[in-house]
Amino acid sequence: AQKITQTQPGMFVQEKEAVTLDCTYDTSDPSYGLFWYKQPSSGEMIFLIYQGSYDQQNATEGRYSLNFQKARKSANLVISASQLGDSAMYFCAIARAGGTSYGKLTFGQGTILTVHP
Amino acid sequence: DADVTQTPRNRITKTGKRIMLECSQTKGHDRMYWYRQDPGLGLRLIYYSFDVKDINKGEISDGYSVSRQAQAKFSLSLESAIPNQTALYFCATSDRTGTAGKETQYFGPGTRLLVL
């Protein structure tokens, strides 16, 4: 079974500062993918960034980057230059990359990020 | 127009009623999923379908059933609704990209369901 742990129920950051949202995972699969999603107060789920377990480099997408430490089983999301619109719930998720159930996502409980002006 | 649509967006029903939530997608993806989200929890998988003839139970399928009417349509039914099925329901789709584990899921806007 796969598991995602997000230990920060809530985080606060000043506008224009960087913030790191923690995510640790547990899996016995040798190959997997890690995803981050953003859920604003309006409720929709927005895909942010993906990291493959065999990717040599940390993923980046604009102001989002992923600090992937495979040995520690962590995949922390870094948001640079925070904006007020970044205030939302953020979910980390994992998908196995093999077997009959590959592609299914297992989510963490989420971290609420609040950006202060 | 949105790629993944869900109807209705909001629904109030009574205990014991049968209801159906519908999902349609124009992304051309083979795979579709139904999740529920409860306050303070992440999303949990109810059912998933990798193609029209392949439907599988997720971690919390009890009390739910699904129908994949076509590649683009995946419906979730609550046969006899109960109050603890009050939640936010999401439909999602993904495409087999050929890169194992990189099947990014794209979500619909969600359906807020209240069971009285």
Side-chain angles (χ1 to χ4, degrees):
Chain A
Q2 299 178 310
K3 184 178 180 181
I4 292 285
T5 302
Q6 294 180 253
T7 58
Q8 305 157 316
M11 287 287 287
F12 295 89
V13 66
Q14 206 72 23
E15 193 177 10
K16 301 182 183 178
E17 298 289 316
V19 63
T20 297
L21 306 183
D22 293 342
C23 172
T24 58
Y25 60 90
D26 188 21
T27 181
S28 57
D29 295 317
S31 181
Y32 49 88
L34 293 154
F35 301 79
W36 278 90
Y37 284 84
K38 172 184 178 182
Q39 186 179 40
S41 58
S42 52
E44 71 267 32
M45 294 286 289
I46 303 167
F47 166 70
L48 295 178
I49 194 166
Y50 161 85
Q51 178 82 46
S53 59
Y54 288 112
D55 291 345
Q56 295 298 312
Q57 293 186 328
N58 286 343
T60 61
E61 289 285 351
R63 293 186 298 110
Y64 304 109
S65 61
L66 210 151
N67 183 2
F68 180 48
Q69 298 186 49
K70 192 172 182 177
R72 297 181 61 185
K73 293 189 174 181
S74 73
N76 298 337
L77 177 70
V78 180
I79 305 175
S80 63
S82 297
Q83 302 172 356
L84 296 178
D86 293 334
S87 293
M89 176 79 88
Y90 289 81
F91 290 100
C92 180
I94 186 170
R96 66 191 316 179
T100 57
S101 61
Y102 75 98
K104 290 167 50 183
L105 284 175
T106 298
F107 284 84
Q109 293 182 313
T111 296
I112 298 175
L113 175 66
T114 303
V115 180
H116 290 301
Chain B
D1 289 340
D3 295 320
V4 184
T5 58
Q6 293 183 233
T7 56
R9 293 293 312 277
N10 296 279
R11 179 74 184 267
I12 300 173
T13 191
K14 294 182 179 179
T15 298
K17 293 291 187 181
R18 181 181 189 277
I19 67 164
M20 179 182 290
L21 308 183
E22 298 186 344
C23 177
S24 295
Q25 52 112 350
T26 59
K27 298 183 78 68
H29 289 172
D30 290 328
R31 301 178 175 192
M32 299 186 74
Y33 309 80
W34 275 105
Y35 293 90
R36 68 175 277 176
Q37 182 181 19
D38 298 279
L41 301 178
L43 280 71
R44 293 181 291 166
L45 184 63
I46 306 173
Y47 270 95
Y48 62 103
S49 171
F50 282 176
D51 64 43
V52 175
K53 296 181 180 181
D54 179 21
I55 294 177
N56 304 279
K57 293 181 178 180
E59 59 180 298
I60 54 164
S61 59
D62 287 348
Y64 301 95
S65 62
V66 291
S67 173
R68 186 81 183 266
Q69 301 94 326
Q71 186 202 39
K73 296 183 181 297
F74 193 34
S75 300
L76 175 72
S77 293
L78 285 67
E79 299 302 325
S80 179
I82 56 177
N84 76 1
Q85 291 178 312
T86 292
L88 179 57
Y89 289 84
F90 285 103
C91 173
T93 74
S94 68
D95 190 23
R96 184 174 181 179
T97 65
T99 302
K102 198 176 181 180
E103 296 86 5
T104 299
Q105 291 188 22
Y106 296 92
F107 286 76
T111 294
R112 295 189 182 276
L113 175 65
L114 173 60
V115 183
L116 301 175

